Amino acid sequence: MRNPRFLFFSRYLNATPFLGFKQKSRSLQTLAYEEVRANNDKPYKSTAFVLHGLLGSARNWRSFSKTLVSSLEKNSYSSDWRMVLVDMRNHGRSAEIKGLEPPNDLVNAANDLANLVKSEGWDWPDVVIGHSMGGKVALQYAESCARGDYGGSATLPKQLWVLDSVPGEVNPEESDGEVEKVLQTLQSLPSEIPSRKWLVDHMMELGFSKSLSQWIGSNLKKSGDHETWAFDLQGAVDMFNSYRERSYWSLLENPPDGLHIAIVQAENSDRWSPSVVNRLESLASRTRKESEGKVSVHLLPKSGHWVHVDNPKGLLDIVAPNIVSTP
């Protein structure tokens, strides 16, 4: 089989066009996104939305998405996939888009996805893959879709992949508080950062790891003779608070007909209490009719929370054979 040729491009409202990228105006203020396809010689049949986590962006998932579509074509699971990598509100290039009205919560973050589909005139996504906070946005999207919030034309996805994201409320006592410490630290910094090196050194002096400090530094963008954040910090804080407060256990207890919710637990992640794991495994073991919704749980070995970085091959081996495609 010939090597797949990747189609990779970005579009966003009122974008400044530049070589190799496409521009399209929209009537709705909708999200920035990128597309990854294995083969642009024929039309795609299936679409997966890919949602990043807090303070992340679509680019975090480029490498894994390229590998995934390549694997799907090579192994004949399906050769007609399109991955839509979304910059969620307040993150990446979507942070620059005006008109994404507050409140900055998971309900509106999921609603943004529906508005993107409507604005572009796309078919509704077959699969939604979400990491961390993005996993809860995926759950909210399915819940809202099943409830009819997106209108009669909306179609429920066939599958959700919730990657190292606990579906219930986040109990601060069961967390090491690192995310809260990061957000508090960022809020205490000046809005104009002298340089990326200054930020990394400062974060490390405060006790954060080098890898985390460097990752935070990767979210800076040049603005004149200084650096600014590539995300809307207060908006991201609001989204994190919503992420902690929302629970989707009722959705997992009674998934809509035809919906498969696949939960991936990273082996070395500190986010999973024994009670949560036991509850998920109990839901996954339930006997259900073929037409009913279902839950599955997958353990990703040798990985912490950053599943696409710590063990991308292991994640690929879980997702690729089990992803649901359009017949």
Side-chain angles (χ1 to χ4, degrees):
M1 178 180 293
R2 59 187 175 81
N3 292 331
R5 292 178 293 172
F6 290 104
L7 173 67
F8 171 61
F9 56 93
S10 304
R11 299 182 231 176
Y12 56 103
L13 182 67
N14 296 329
T16 301
F18 54 97
L19 184 63
F21 285 71
K22 297 187 178 181
Q23 174 190 9
K24 184 173 181 178
S25 296
R26 307 174 189 160
S27 58
L28 292 173
Q29 301 279 5
T30 53
L31 301 172
Y33 65 90
E34 304 170 354
E35 290 188 14
V36 174
R37 290 171 59 186
N39 187 342
N40 61 328
D41 292 337
K42 54 185 177 181
Y44 59 84
K45 293 181 181 179
S46 302
T47 295
F49 279 11
V50 183
L51 313 179
H52 60 79
L54 182 71
L55 304 185
S57 65
R59 64 178 181 167
N60 299 147
W61 285 87
R62 286 175 187 167
S63 178
F64 179 80
S65 297
K66 289 180 180 182
T67 304
L68 177 58
V69 293
S70 176
S71 176
L72 292 172
E73 176 166 327
K74 185 185 304 181
N75 293 292
S76 300
Y77 300 124
S78 171
S79 60
D80 306 320
W81 274 95
R82 173 182 68 147
M83 304 287 157
V84 177
L85 285 56
V86 174
D87 279 337
M88 290 194 290
R89 60 169 50 217
N90 302 305
H91 293 76
R93 287 170 292 110
S94 291
E96 302 172 3
I97 295 175
K98 308 301 181 184
L100 298 175
E101 297 296 331
N104 290 306
D105 56 18
L106 298 196
V107 173
N108 274 337
N111 191 52
D112 292 339
L113 303 178
N115 285 339
L116 178 60
V117 172
K118 294 174 183 178
S119 176
E120 293 292 346
W122 291 336
D123 290 335
W124 295 85
D126 303 279
V127 174
V128 182
I129 303 170
H131 174 240
S132 195
M133 183 179 71
K136 274 196 165 179
V137 173
L139 290 166
Q140 178 63 56
Y141 173 81
E143 185 174 89
S144 295
C145 192
R147 197 166 48 218
D149 293 353
Y150 304 147
S153 66
T155 302
L156 189 72
K158 300 177 182 68
Q159 190 176 57
L160 305 181
W161 284 92
V162 181
L163 309 179
D164 210 54
S165 183
V166 175
E169 296 178 19
V170 176
N171 185 347
E173 295 180 358
E174 295 179 355
S175 168
D176 62 6
E178 184 175 55
V179 176
E180 290 88 343
K181 293 174 187 175
V182 168
L183 293 175
Q184 290 169 3
T185 299
L186 300 189
Q187 287 178 303
S188 71
L189 297 176
S191 58
E192 298 181 355
I193 307 298
S195 69
R196 185 167 301 182
K197 181 180 184 305
W198 179 91
L199 176 67
V200 172
D201 290 345
H202 182 69
M203 297 286 289
M204 291 177 62
E205 288 172 4
L206 294 175
F208 295 102
S209 68
K210 183 177 181 180
S211 59
L212 176 59
S213 300
Q214 290 176 333
W215 180 76
I216 293 295
S218 72
N219 285 287
L220 290 171
K221 61 180 181 180
K222 195 72 176 175
S223 179
D225 59 355
H226 58 269
E227 306 266 357
T228 61
W229 297 116
F231 46 74
D232 182 312
L233 181 55
Q234 185 55 54
V237 170
D238 293 342
M239 293 178 73
F240 177 66
N241 290 334
S242 178
Y243 160 83
R244 289 196 302 181
E245 295 164 1
R246 299 288 297 187
S247 174
Y248 298 96
W249 282 116
S250 59
L251 179 68
L252 272 69
E253 292 280 354
N254 299 286
D257 289 351
L259 175 63
H260 173 203
I261 303 174
I263 308 289
V264 175
Q265 174 197 353
E267 181 180 33
N268 299 327
S269 174
D270 62 357
R271 299 165 192 267
W272 301 91
S273 67
S275 60
V276 168
V277 173
N278 291 338
R279 188 172 181 180
L280 284 172
E281 290 177 345
S282 176
L283 291 174
S285 65
R286 284 186 183 176
T287 301
R288 304 177 190 264
K289 297 178 182 178
E290 187 173 347
S291 62
E292 291 181 323
K294 65 177 181 178
V295 174
S296 64
V297 180
H298 309 264
L299 182 66
L300 176 62
K302 301 178 181 178
S303 177
H305 181 62
W306 306 103
V307 293
H308 55 306
V309 176
D310 292 347
N311 190 359
K313 183 182 184 303
L315 183 61
L316 181 72
D317 291 342
I318 291 172
V319 175
N322 295 297
I323 199 167
V324 174
S325 60
T326 300

